[in-house]
Structure formats: C-alpha cells, structure tokens
Amino acid sequence: MKILVINGPNLNLLGRREPQTYGKNTLRDIEDNLREQAEHLGVEIDFFQSNHEGALIDCLHTAIGKVDAVIINPGAYSHYSIALRDAIAAVDYPVVEIHLSNIYSREPFRHHTVTSAVVNGQISGFGPFSYTLGLMAAVDLARQRQSDES
Ligand code: DQA
C-alpha cells in the first residue's frame, strides 16, 4: 500500500514561518515522523511539496494508478483554488485534507475551503499530529477500498 503526502505553498518554510501559528517543526521533521509511523503501519510513503498550483495538480494526476491514498495540505490554495479542487474531484483514490492550524478559529477568509467538498474528510487544528491523523485516515480509506474491490 502506498500513501502520498502533498504539501502546498509556504509549507516548505515550516519551523521558520509564523511559529506561533504553525509550530517549530520543519517539514522535514514532520516527514521523518510520518516515515516512521508509516513503517509501523507497514505502508510505503512518499512526499511532494510545491509552491505552484500547476505542480500540485500534475502531482495529483501522476499519482493516478500509483498510490492508494493521498494526504494533502493545500495551504492557502484550499481557500480559493477551483483548479486544485477539480483535480482532487478528478482522481479516483481517497484524499484526506489536513491543516496544521484550526482554520475555523482564524481569520474569516480561512473558514471556507473549496477543497473540503471533494475530499473524503478533513482534519484541522492538531499541529503536526494532523498529519498523523491524516495518515491513519488515509490507510483506513485505502484498506476499505481494497476490501471493496476484492
Ligand atoms: C494551513 C492553513 C492555511 O489557511 C494557510 O494558508 C496555510 C497553512 C495549515 O496547515 O494550517 O498555508 O493549510
């Protein structure tokens, strides 16, 4: 089973970027942690980060037929990228949307995400643990899908 973790714009700066909101962990710390957790769960894990909308869409497309589920933190694109929303709607594998911060307790423009309607579920507000919960959800969804298909 293969899980892909996609991170959108500005998440490459985690650790240095607004640490009061996003914490002190770098993206590398989060990925290293997830790699360990994936090993315990017996699943393969891969990572992709880009600051570019098109690159995120290409990554979602390329993953068709290659991954069993995706965890995505679309960053600010969550709030307004119809193109990213359409790409998520177009793929056939389960997608879990995650956010480090609780977007519903922040500025009003963060309360709405265009992506949440097309993902299997959303996790928001648990810091780096959002990724761990996302991994658990993604593995569960992929397993359900495999057992539905067999
Ligand atoms: C974020 C929340 C978004 O509103 C913001 O634009 C980000 C990070 C989060 O993980 O909390 O870049 O997705």
Side-chain angles (χ1 to χ4, degrees):
M1 177 176 297
K2 191 162 184 171
I3 308 292
L4 173 64
V5 184
I6 302 178
N7 277 287
N10 301 308
L11 293 162
N12 55 312
L13 291 184
L14 283 179
R16 279 182 288 163
R17 173 194 181 199
E18 301 179 79
Q20 67 288 358
T21 303
Y22 299 116
K24 289 191 179 149
N25 285 281
T26 63
L27 187 56
R28 179 74 195 271
D29 294 335
I30 290 173
E31 289 179 350
D32 285 349
N33 222 343
L34 281 178
R35 209 173 275 113
E36 252 178 56
Q37 288 156 6
E39 207 178 308
H40 282 298
L41 291 168
V43 301
E44 260 184 81
I45 196 157
D46 231 332
F47 301 98
F48 181 78
Q49 189 276 329
S50 178
N51 295 321
H52 305 277
E53 190 178 24
L56 297 168
I57 293 168
D58 286 344
C59 179
L60 284 160
H61 291 181
T62 308
I64 297 171
K66 297 198 182 102
V67 304
D68 297 289
V70 159
I71 302 160
I72 187 166
N73 182 347
Y77 286 140
S78 329
H79 308 300
Y80 69 92
S81 172
I82 307 295
L84 190 64
R85 179 235 178 259
D86 285 353
I88 295 170
V91 299
D92 58 352
Y93 47 75
V95 178
V96 179
E97 175 178 338
I98 78 109
H99 297 280
L100 289 151
S101 61
N102 178 355
I103 55 174
Y104 303 101
S105 68
R106 299 182 61 196
E107 304 95 320
F109 66 84
R110 294 186 206 274
H111 295 182
H112 179 68
T113 91
V114 295
T115 42
S116 57
V118 290
V119 294
N120 292 72
Q122 188 201 62
I123 295 158
S124 165
F126 299 97
F129 193 58
S130 288
Y131 286 87
T132 303
L133 293 170
L135 177 62
M136 290 165 72
V139 169
D140 190 60
L141 287 163
R143 286 195 177 133
Q144 273 179 43
R145 196 162 162 254
Q146 282 180 350
S147 73
D148 289 349
E149 278 167 6
S150 64

